[in-house]
Amino acid sequence: MMKRVLFNNIQYKIGDDFFIMNLYSFRRHRLSEVESNLLQLIDNKIEQEITLNYEEQLLLKDLENKKQILDQKTISNFDLLVNSSIKVNDQMNINNITINITYECNYNCVYCYQKKYENRKDTLSISDINNIYTLLDTHFSKYNLDFKLDHITISGGEPLLKNQIKILNHILEKFKNTTNNFSLFTNGVNIIKYRKDIDFSKFSEFQISIDGYNNIISTINNNNTSPFDSIIKGIDYINQWTPEIRIITMMSNETIESFDYLLEKLNIFSLFDHDNITFKLSTIINTTSDKSIDHDFYDYREYLALREKIKPTLKGTKYQFDSIYDLSSLSFKILRKVNDRSVNKTSKCNTAEVIPLLFGANGKIYWCTCNDLSNGIIGEFRKNITLNYLEINKYLKRNVFSIDECKKCDFKYVCSSGCPISIINSKGNVLVPNCGVFKEKFVMDNIERFIF
Ligand code: SF4
Ligand code: SF4
């Protein structure tokens, strides 16, 4: 098995071709098979302090001259530069918020990423929404910022439930001057039912789950109904305003077993004919674990086997895999177009520019949607209306230079120290590395199969 990282370059194959990408500069270079083998040999020899022959010296020199391989001094200077250019979010800017208006759902899907809410009865009230508004208004005034948000996502549980209509409409009205983009995350079953009660034209974006045809949905959602036609009619209805619609299908044994059938049905309803509708085959995740996929459903081997099984079926359709979250940055850099610049991200959250923010149905404010209920709390808005800036600072300060192990790590600019919340969920501490797939031998040995 070839060594994956050599001289700070990650080596990978596309088809029969060998490539290396520098993990600091992201410069890519194609190698011949002979050069690739030679580079492995050189690395070995240097490790064993064996003198390099002329040909080996020549290859090394050539890659150094091309700045494909960087010396230690250059790398240290590079790190210093990146470290000093980290923007401090001293204005505590916020531009996206998510409001979980309820933890209740009309389904109870086995692999829901919100299953940590256990279908609890908590829901928001009108005064909770007013409190969220007041809290943000106070925050923006404190930092002399305009109360403007890029996005407000309304999610749950399931937001389209009878008791939530009033709350949902109140959010749309109360926040109408603060953003042009309302997103709704829903299972889509009740869109038609509530089309007269909610002005769906106000949403610029929808995320809708469709895991299969009725046979599949009724098995996995623990609710023995046949909702497929209602969901499709709902999509057809909202599509009159051509918002961005993301259809998400979870990748599991059950869903891919009858995936052909789902494609056929989506085709019958011409869902693939619209440019504003995109389709994702999503990985089942568990945000309370430091694994980047939910091992209750598949380990990395099983995940890969499923992915490879369904890959031929996806060819020529509009469905795309979403990358394993930990690998997203590395995949993006490897797959980017020639000459596309790529940034050296020092923290996995977008903390330099924004604070991710989730308002929970329990009246607590969380750092991000991937919290469990007891971790990642950065404020509250029910009894007291407060943002805990000390706690927020703890997250803002977490980056690859604040964790010793990350400082020395070759993967630091593609891993960015990993997700802080999933590590706090599993280890109870935010200032520890969350290596995820980067320390999984099987994933690293098979990286091409996870990316391409
Ligand atoms: S806490 Fe994790 S999931 Fe949330 S923005 Fe940060 S890295 Fe992403
Ligand atoms: S979390 Fe682990 S893999 Fe990621 S940068 Fe830190 S040490 Fe490296």
Side-chain angles (χ1 to χ4, degrees):
M1 179 58 66
M2 70 179 181
K3 197 165 164 191
R4 189 54 76 181
V5 178
L6 296 158
F7 304 102
N8 315 109
N9 278 259
I10 184 160
Q11 180 161 17
Y12 55 95
K13 272 182 89 179
I14 305 181
D16 289 333
D17 297 323
F18 293 82
F19 291 86
I20 46 178
M21 180 177 79
N22 188 289
L23 287 166
Y24 288 78
S25 64
F26 309 126
R27 180 188 287 266
R28 289 164 295 182
H29 181 76
R30 189 183 185 149
L31 296 173
S32 68
E33 191 171 354
V34 175
E35 288 171 329
S36 163
N37 292 335
L38 203 55
L39 206 58
Q40 300 275 344
L41 197 70
I42 296 171
D43 180 76
N44 247 328
K45 279 190 163 179
I46 291 181
E47 226 171 65
Q48 293 172 38
E49 298 181 359
I50 301 173
T51 315
L52 302 182
N53 66 26
Y54 179 68
E55 191 192 4
E56 292 157 354
Q57 285 181 27
L58 214 59
L59 176 63
L60 207 53
K61 198 82 219 139
D62 180 48
L63 291 172
E64 281 169 2
N65 287 342
K66 287 185 169 122
K67 295 199 165 45
Q68 190 61 46
I69 291 179
L70 304 173
D71 61 35
Q72 204 42 55
K73 189 161 173 249
T74 312
I75 288 175
S76 303
N77 287 339
F78 191 92
D79 282 345
L80 270 176
L81 198 72
V82 176
N83 194 356
S84 67
S85 66
I86 293 178
K87 281 191 254 161
V88 182
N89 188 350
D90 51 8
Q91 290 216 298
M92 299 270 180
N93 205 4
I94 296 169
N95 68 5
N96 291 311
I97 63 165
T98 299
I99 306 178
N100 278 345
I101 60 177
T102 179
Y103 292 145
E104 273 194 273
C105 186
N106 43 355
Y107 285 174
N108 187 9
C109 299
V110 281
Y111 44 61
C112 177
Y113 77 107
Q114 305 284 51
K115 69 181 169 216
K116 61 205 172 200
Y117 299 147
E118 296 163 340
N119 234 327
R120 290 159 61 114
K121 298 289 171 226
D122 310 58
T123 63
L124 296 185
S125 66
I126 296 285
S127 80
D128 287 334
I129 301 302
N130 293 341
N131 289 352
I132 294 174
Y133 187 93
T134 306
L135 178 134
L136 289 171
D137 198 23
T138 313
H139 172 87
F140 285 117
S141 310
K142 177 176 161 132
Y143 289 97
N144 279 326
L145 295 165
D146 284 345
F147 188 170
K148 286 282 171 220
L149 296 165
D150 278 356
H151 247 101
I152 297 181
T153 301
I154 302 174
S155 184
E158 169 53 41
L160 295 182
L161 298 179
K162 189 162 178 273
N163 294 338
Q164 307 311 325
I165 307 299
K166 221 166 80 187
I167 308 297
L168 205 151
N169 281 329
H170 187 63
I171 297 174
L172 293 174
E173 181 55 30
K174 185 90 187 167
F175 286 85
K176 68 177 180 212
N177 295 324
T178 68
T179 186
N180 294 323
N181 292 307
F182 286 104
S183 304
L184 186 66
F185 284 19
T186 170
N187 57 35
V189 181
N190 286 337
I191 294 176
I192 291 296
K193 189 168 171 189
Y194 297 126
R195 70 184 184 282
K196 296 212 166 70
D197 305 304
I198 297 166
D199 184 353
F200 285 104
S201 73
K202 291 191 170 152
F203 289 94
S204 59
E205 192 183 275
F206 291 84
Q207 180 166 300
I208 298 175
S209 327
I210 304 184
D211 291 317
Y213 191 58
N214 288 324
N215 58 327
I216 292 294
I217 306 182
S218 54
T219 322
I220 56 185
N221 69 9
N222 292 314
N223 179 341
N224 205 11
T225 53
S226 301
F228 191 82
D229 285 5
S230 314
I231 302 173
I232 298 294
K233 278 187 196 142
I235 294 173
D236 201 43
Y237 176 74
I238 55 175
N239 203 29
Q240 64 182 296
W241 299 287
T242 56
E244 195 181 320
I245 302 176
R246 276 195 307 275
I247 308 286
I248 305 285
T249 303
M250 301 307 288
M251 188 172 82
S252 71
N253 276 313
E254 291 86 357
T255 58
I256 72 156
E257 219 29 75
S258 36
F259 198 76
D260 277 331
Y261 196 44
L262 172 65
L263 289 178
E264 206 178 294
K265 288 287 174 190
L266 294 174
N267 241 330
I268 292 172
F269 290 99
S270 311
L271 241 64
F272 295 122
D273 297 349
H274 307 278
D275 289 343
N276 59 313
I277 308 183
T278 55
F279 298 81
K280 273 254 152 75
L281 196 59
S282 252
T283 310
I284 306 175
I285 54 168
N286 176 0
T287 54
T288 56
S289 132
D290 57 352
K291 302 279 176 212
S292 47
I293 57 178
D294 190 337
H295 278 41
D296 284 350
F297 291 88
Y298 25 63
D299 60 20
Y300 292 113
R301 277 185 175 74
E302 291 160 338
Y303 166 85
L304 204 52
L306 265 189
R307 191 179 151 113
E308 290 180 346
K309 188 170 169 191
I310 194 67
K311 207 171 170 181
T313 314
L314 298 195
K315 220 171 172 192
T317 75
K318 284 179 81 180
Y319 261 95
Q320 292 188 326
F321 288 115
D322 69 353
S323 167
I324 291 186
Y325 188 49
D326 291 3
L327 277 180
S328 50
S329 177
L330 178 64
S331 316
F332 177 79
K333 285 164 174 51
I334 286 181
L335 297 171
R336 76 193 200 278
K337 288 191 193 125
V338 182
N339 293 334
D340 267 10
R341 274 180 56 83
S342 199
V343 288
N344 295 73
K345 230 170 152 246
T346 52
S347 60
K348 184 83 177 157
C349 310
N350 208 3
T351 44
E353 288 110 43
V354 292
I355 304 170
L357 210 58
L358 170 89
F359 294 89
N362 57 355
K364 299 216 165 22
I365 307 169
Y366 294 90
W367 176 253
C368 166
T369 50
C370 67
N371 63 281
D372 67 10
L373 285 176
S374 51
N375 287 311
I377 298 170
I378 54 168
E380 54 181 300
F381 58 95
R382 189 162 287 159
K383 279 197 196 120
N384 301 305
I385 309 177
T386 160
L387 264 181
N388 184 340
Y389 290 96
L390 272 178
E391 201 61 19
I392 291 175
N393 251 315
K394 225 165 73 181
Y395 292 105
L396 290 178
K397 287 200 174 125
R398 183 185 195 274
N399 62 46
V400 292
F401 298 109
S402 58
I403 300 171
D404 283 343
E405 211 171 322
C406 302
K407 271 190 226 168
K408 301 173 267 173
C409 176
D410 279 339
F411 290 117
K412 61 172 155 310
Y413 296 125
V414 287
C415 164
S416 316
S417 75
C419 170
I421 295 295
S422 71
I423 199 69
I424 208 174
N425 284 340
S426 59
K427 297 267 162 63
N429 185 355
V430 75
L431 279 179
V432 291
N434 187 1
C435 302
V437 293
F438 292 100
K439 297 282 160 75
E440 292 284 346
K441 187 172 179 322
F442 176 75
V443 179
M444 284 299 119
D445 284 350
N446 291 281
I447 197 79
E448 295 89 350
R449 296 168 65 198
F450 282 89
I451 290 181
F452 302 114

